[in-house]
Structures are given as C-alpha cells and as structure tokens.
C-alpha cells in the first residue's frame, strides 16, 4: 500500500446535462496511472461536447503538480485541436490556490476562462462581515439564547452529538452550545475571515476546547457528507440571495435521521408601543432595503416551505419574541441602535436614499428604542425557528 492510499481520495464525474467535468478531493498521485480513469473521463467529455465544457474544481482541496500538468495538458491540447471549443474553469475563493493555479491556463490559451464561483455570490454579505457588526451579533445572541437554550432539545440537540454550526459568524452560539449541551464535536464554518479570527481569539481567551472553526463557503462546503447529527444555520439563509443552495448543502452534510435547525426573521413584524406607527413604517422599509441588496429578512414564515422543498421531513416550526422584558431593556435598545447605525447608515447611503427618507427611517429606530426603555413600553423582535429531519 502506498502512502497515497492512506489519504482521502478524489472523485471525478461528468454531468452531460450541464456539460460539466468536476473533480474534487485530494489529487496527489505518485504515478500518472492513478489518474487513468479520470483522464479518460475528461477526454470522453471533450469528445462529447460542443460549445463550452465547464471544468468544476470548487471542491478540489489539494492537487500536486503531476496531476495539474496532466489535466492541463489535455485541456490545452483540446483547445488547439478544437478551436471551436471553449473551457470555463470554475474555482472558489475558499480554496484560494485554485484561482491562481488554474488562472495560468487562461494566459496560455484564450479559449480558457477561469471564473471564481463565489466572487459575487454574497451581494449583501459585506455589510455583515465588517467588524462594526460584531457588537450587534454578540448582543443578539445573548438575547436569543435565553429562548433557544429551551427550544434546541425539541429540535435534536442533546449531549454527545456531532454537530455543525454553518455560517457561525463570530462563533458565540457555538460557544454557548458547547458549554450548555457538551456535544462530542462541533464544526463551526463561516465565509468571513474576520469573524473566524474573532471566534478563534475568544476560544483562546476563554480556554475552550472542542470547537473546530473552519473557513468555507456554505453553498459549496468541503465537509464530507452525512457526518453530523445536528446542523444549525441561524439568521443566515435570509442574508443569502440563493438560500436553497445553502439548504442543499445542509441536507448533504446531515446524517440520515439527523436534523437541520434554522432561524430566520420577519423584520416587518418587529413592533413597539408607544409610537407603533413610526416603528411599523421603519421595519417595513427595512424589509425593502434588504430586498434591494438581494436579502430576504422576511424569510422566517417561509422556513417550512424551504425545508420541505429541500427534502426534509418531520418539519417542526415555532416562534419566539425577543422583548425588552427579557433581562435588561438596555440590551434590546443596544441592538436597535446598532441596527440603525448600519441600516440607516451605510446601507441607506449605498442605496442612494435622500436625507429626508433617512431621517424618517432613523426616527423609527429611535422610537423603537424609546418603547424599549419606556417604563410602560413594550418592544418586540420576532424569530422563526424551524427544523427538519433528513430521511433515513
């Protein structure tokens, strides 16, 4: 047995419908003969197609030079023998070396184009990855945890399970879960390098063990399939422009019989008294603002439909209301103040909103804060929780 046999192997497949040759995993052959079936598959794909052949390397984690040159040689030779044929190589920013390495091919042959799959995939993500959003996320989790710690066991959480927290952000939910439920393993994945750096720093400072923070694209994860008892994805489907792709991946990495747990909002249902009308107007505008950036913060009640369409069964849905009566009302006010800074600040500016609109928009947030801190006031922020079981 060679050392290569001990490493995770790779997969190669051809999808005739999409004219796509895909290769994934670890490709480090010691002899080119090991690539024989894959090279034959690529050659066969080239012979079959007209127009364009997509070469998908989004899930290619490692490739040695021998393998790269073997596949590259076939593609370059095909360009010269078939000038009518175009190659589009699809890479991912998550595996940064692929864009650089395969990018060389486009400089050798004009018929080869290299596209980074996720370069424009998260149109609104930039607002939420900035360091300024960290205080919002920490305070939000502090307030929602009071409810979720009681809710989670009804959706599959229990000690000793293997779980994944996808789109983990700054990692505070994974930390709370680790302390409260003690899973045997938590993999926490996010697309934001700055958020993961913050999460890892907290883990070191708190001397925590058992959480594996991983950089990755939630729509195209490098995690093996069917390995987690519970997969959580909180407040995240609503900020991606294609949530069905994320759900497809959550389904894939969940074990048969395991559950996927999601939380989302319906921002237009945020409420407060007094000054209810101003508050209602502003949160209706929040929903429109996010829609402008291809995010759906009204997704909460749609969770059941999304889970059903993704193939889950035994769907469980419940709601809870975070209010100013949960602990310190100032925490609620701090969350709203942080929302106002981002929504009526950078996001409104980027959309091109005028000063009159921004002033009214911001006033609704101020009125929500007023309701939260008023001795007789009430302010609420509703959350939809849903989970589904992957069929056996």
């Amino acid at each position: 047995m060679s050392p290569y046999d001990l490493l995770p192997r790779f997969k190669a497949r051809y999808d005739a419908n999409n004219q796509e040759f895909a290769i994934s995993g670890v490709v480090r052959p010691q002899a080119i003969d090991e690539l024989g079936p894959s090279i034959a598959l690529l050659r066969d794909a080239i012979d079959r197609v007209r127009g364009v052949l997509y070469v998908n390397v989004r899930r290619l984690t490692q490739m040695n030079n021998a393998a790269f040159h073997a596949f590259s040689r076939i593609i370059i030779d095909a360009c010269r023998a078939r000038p009518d044929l175009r190659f589009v190589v699809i890479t991912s920013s998550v595996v940064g070396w692929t864009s650089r390495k395969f990018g060389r091919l486009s400089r050798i042959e004009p018929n080869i184009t290299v596209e980074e799959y996720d370069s424009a995939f998260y149109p609104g993500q930039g607002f939420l990855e900035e360091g300024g959003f960290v205080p919002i996320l920490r305070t939000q989790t502090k307030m929602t945890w009071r409810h979720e710690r009681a809710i989670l066991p009804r959706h599959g959480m229990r000690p000793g399970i293997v779980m994944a927290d996808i789109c983990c952000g700054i990692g505070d939910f994974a930390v709370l879960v680790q302390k409260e439920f003690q899973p045997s393993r938590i993999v926490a994945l996010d697309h934001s390098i700055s958020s993961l750096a913050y999460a890892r720093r907290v883990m070191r400072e708190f001397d925590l063990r058992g959480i594996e923070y991983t950089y990755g694209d939630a729509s195209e994860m490098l995690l093996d399939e069917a390995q987690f008892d519970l997969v959580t994805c909180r407040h995240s489907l609503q900020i991606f422009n294609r949530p069905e792709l994320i759900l497809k991946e959550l389904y894939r990495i969940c074990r048969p019989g395991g559950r996927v747990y999601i939380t989302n909002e319906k921002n237009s249902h945020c409420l407060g008294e007094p000054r209810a009308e101003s508050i209602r107007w502003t949160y209706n505008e929040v929903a429109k603002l996010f829609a402008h950036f291809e995010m759906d913060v009204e997704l909460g009640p749609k969770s059941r439909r999304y889970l059903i369409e993704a193939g889950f069964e035994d769907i469980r849905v419940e709601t809870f209301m975070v209010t100013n009566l949960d602990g310190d009302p100032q925490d609620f006010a701090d969350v709203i103040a942080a929302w106002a800074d981002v929504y009526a600040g950078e996001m409104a500016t980027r959309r091109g909103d005028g000063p009159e609109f921004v002033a009214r928009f911001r006033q609704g947030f101020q009125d929500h804060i007023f309701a939260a801190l008023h001795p007789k006031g009430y302010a609420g922020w509703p959350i939809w929780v849903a989970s589904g079981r992957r069929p056996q």
Side-chain angles (χ1 to χ4, degrees), residues 341-389:
D341 285 345
V342 177
Y343 304 165
E346 184 184 357
M347 292 182 74
T349 300
R350 288 268 297 273
R351 191 172 62 167
D353 295 332
E356 187 175 339
F357 172 87
V358 170
R360 186 181 177 188
F361 192 37
R362 192 176 287 277
Q363 184 60 50
F365 293 116
Q366 293 301 318
D367 290 337
H368 208 195
I369 293 171
F370 180 82
L373 298 178
H374 194 284
K376 299 179 183 177
Y378 181 80
W381 163 39
I383 308 289
W384 271 257
V385 169
S387 72
R389 183 178 63 208

Side-chain angles (χ1 to χ4, degrees), residues 150-161:
I151 289 171
L152 279 163
R154 296 197 287 271
H155 294 265
M157 178 66 78
R158 62 186 184 279
I161 62 170

Side-chain angles (χ1 to χ4, degrees), residues 188-205:
L189 178 145
D190 203 89
H191 192 261
S192 166
I193 292 174
S194 60
S195 294
L196 288 174
Y198 180 90
R200 289 176 177 132
R201 188 169 71 247
V202 169
M203 189 169 70
R204 286 195 302 273
E205 290 176 352

Side-chain angles (χ1 to χ4, degrees), residues 101-142:
K101 196 154 191 169
F102 283 93
R104 299 173 191 166
L105 301 181
S106 63
R107 294 192 287 273
I108 296 172
E109 281 296 333
N111 279 6
I112 301 174
T113 304
V114 177
E115 296 180 355
E116 204 166 67
Y117 165 75
D118 48 4
S119 61
F121 191 71
Y122 306 110
Q125 187 76 348
F127 297 116
L128 310 179
E129 290 185 349
E130 299 301 325
F133 222 80
V134 169
I136 301 180
L137 299 175
R138 285 197 68 85
T139 310
Q140 284 186 174
T141 302
K142 176 182 175 182

